[in-house]
Amino acid sequence: MFTTKRRLAFLVIPALAAMSLSGCADGDTGNDGALQVSGSTTVAPVAADAADALRKDKGLDITVATQGGSAGGISQLASGQISVALSSKPLAKEDKAANSGTDFVSTQIGADAVGITITKQVADAGVKNLTVAQVRDLFEGKIKNWSEVGGPDLDVFVYDKEPGRGTREVLDTYLYGDKKAPPPPESGKFAIVGGNLETRNKLESTPGAVAPLSTSFVEGRERLATVTLDGTEASPKNIASGTYPMSRPLYLITDGKPKGTAKKFVDYVLSAKGQSLMTKHDYLTLKEIGK
């Protein structure tokens, strides 16, 4: 999507996998103590770099994790386990209804796009563009071989995201609008995956694989390609205008207006230095999307 080379420093976020979120934050965004941030694996690289800068420059105690993706972050925020949720999806009515005691405040920090990502082998053999109907049939298990859409004689293997993941919700909205997505097909060539890194690893190691994946995670990967959707590519211009059908906003979410350390964190991501992190990780800044 972009030419900027993404850096994978967030792979070494302190205590990313081992930390226990239970009781680690009191949910009060005014707390000036340790700040716990968790959620979307899409937003995590920016959040991790921002946290690192604030630790070094301001001595702030900030830990970033990715427990359960966007839905997990929202749930942890509502239960008071964290003070800032990372989300690659807007808050849904269901989120608010399930957590009526939480005063969700969403702060948009930029934009991204979800791409239908395939292996370079399949793309080079002729699959450059897919229609919404073709994508739907792929994920429902109706298209079983890439030759059915102009590709090689190779079985399709679908990796879909866990329910509640921002990427999954963007895909479901694209395919089904307001209607409920059908259950997964009963197939040995269909599997559910979690975050962006797991998805990318599965794509790169599985011949004939297809999956929804943040386009920034495809940048620079020689074995992967993102198709155009009904002839529309995930270019910065198309994402900013909303022309690309799987464009999406990226958020930091707090319980009430951010205060204390949470406010310092949110303000930093909105600052010029923070917005440069969006560019660094191949996302669109607020300025680029006209915000």
Side-chain angles (χ1 to χ4, degrees), residues 221-254:
R221 310 301 291 195
E222 295 181 355
R223 287 181 285 174
L224 300 179
T226 298
V227 301
T228 57
L229 298 177
D230 289 303
T232 303
E233 66 173 332
S235 66
K237 179 180 178 181
N238 290 338
I239 295 169
S241 66
T243 303
Y244 181 73
M246 290 206 290
S247 304
R248 61 177 175 180
L250 304 177
Y251 296 102
L252 301 179
I253 304 176
T254 53

Side-chain angles (χ1 to χ4, degrees), residues 54-264:
L54 288 169
R55 277 193 295 265
K56 292 178 179 177
D57 298 343
K58 304 292 183 181
L60 300 182
D61 185 0
I62 304 173
T63 301
V64 178
T66 55
Q67 304 288 335
S70 297
I74 291 168
S75 176
Q76 292 154 27
L77 176 67
S79 65
Q81 294 175 305
I82 62 174
S83 292
V84 180
L86 311 174
S87 183
S88 56
K89 72 181 188 76
L91 280 164
K93 291 184 292 184
E94 293 77 10
D95 296 321
K96 296 177 181 178
N99 304 285
S100 58
T102 304
D103 179 20
F104 290 113
V105 174
S106 298
T107 302
Q108 186 173 355
I109 60 172
D112 176 36
V114 174
I116 298 301
T117 306
I118 60 177
T119 62
K120 194 72 162 46
Q121 175 189 4
V122 172
D124 287 346
V127 181
K128 307 293 186 183
N129 176 73
L130 293 170
T131 66
V132 64
Q134 289 172 327
V135 176
R136 189 184 301 121
D137 286 348
L138 282 166
F139 280 81
E140 290 182 6
K142 296 175 182 177
I143 293 175
K144 302 180 184 299
N145 191 289
W146 285 109
S147 62
E148 298 176 55
V149 289
D153 182 10
L154 182 65
D155 287 345
V156 173
F157 197 111
V158 176
Y159 288 107
D160 202 354
K161 292 275 196 157
E162 297 170 328
R165 294 269 179 178
T167 300
R168 170 70 178 273
E169 292 199 10
V170 170
L171 175 64
D172 285 352
T173 299
Y174 170 60
L175 296 181
Y176 306 106
D178 294 332
K179 297 179 181 179
K180 186 177 180 180
E186 295 182 3
S187 169
K189 295 187 181 298
F190 182 98
I192 299 293
V193 290
N196 286 312
L197 288 175
E198 180 188 359
T199 304
R200 188 172 68 189
N201 289 339
K202 294 291 188 182
L203 280 163
E204 291 183 326
S205 62
T206 308
V210 59
L213 180 64
S214 167
T215 53
S216 65
F217 279 76
V218 184
E219 188 70 27
R221 310 301 291 195
E222 295 181 355
R223 287 181 285 174
L224 300 179
T226 298
V227 301
T228 57
L229 298 177
D230 289 303
T232 303
E233 66 173 332
S235 66
K237 179 180 178 181
N238 290 338
I239 295 169
S241 66
T243 303
Y244 181 73
M246 290 206 290
S247 304
R248 61 177 175 180
L250 304 177
Y251 296 102
L252 301 179
I253 304 176
T254 53
D255 183 0
K257 291 183 178 181
K259 301 175 183 177
T261 306
K263 186 176 189 306
K264 292 173 185 176

